[in-house]
Amino acid sequence: SLILTIVQPFPNHNGGQIAFGPDGMLYIGMGDGGGGGDPLGSGQNLSSLLGKLLRIDVESGISPYAVPTNNPFATVANVRPEIWASGLRNPWRFSFDRDTGDLYIADVGQNQFEEINFQPAASPGGENYGWNILEGNHCFQPTACDTSGLAPPILEYDHSSGDRSITGGHIYRGEIFPRMRGNYLFA
């Protein structure tokens, strides 16, 4: 049955993945809706589900889903309670480290920088990864670049060797390649 519908204002940047986290909650990566540069300001608008990582409970018995009471905005007025993290452009892929529960989010850049964002397993949620104030660690809108309270990426790369969009991967926890164990692999 249908769980959640989110209207898309443009045909691109619609997100890229859903996955159950180690806590049993369903995480949903939502892009900012597209249009280039986030013209609707979705990444920073906490009343919009666009440009966010959502966290919902689909096993609560409440139809179609429940909002976990420990979501960071579960009781904040005028904020969508499904929001787990904000400030994302197009989180094409994300993954949880199967050993630690840490979360890695690969977020597709706009013009110059691709980024990987990190959320430790112990986080209560609510991280703002900065889009469209920042693109990677760099001001996207130089006239409005207040970075206070923003979670910077743990890695970024630029497009100087050609335009290459990031696709997230996983922390390698296999046994075949011991030197790779604990490394985040992405494309």
Side-chain angles (χ1 to χ4, degrees), residues 3-4 20 24-28 55-68:
I3 294 175
L4 178 64
F20 285 99
M25 299 298 132
L26 183 62
Y27 289 75
I28 305 165
R55 179 178 177 256
I56 61 175
D57 183 351
V58 296
E59 293 294 321
S60 67
I62 297 173
S63 181
Y65 64 87
V67 172

Side-chain angles (χ1 to χ4, degrees), residues 15 32 45 50 60 63 68 95 101 111 118 125 146 150 158-159 166:
D32 67 7
N45 179 356
L50 298 172
S60 67
S63 181
S95 65
N111 295 323
F118 176 76
D146 179 3
L150 302 181
D158 65 27
H159 295 177
I166 193 166

Side-chain angles (χ1 to χ4, degrees), residues 118-135:
F118 176 76
Q119 185 183 78
S123 170
E127 281 87 344
N128 181 340
Y129 294 108
W131 175 249
N132 72 347
I133 298 167
L134 296 174
E135 180 183 13

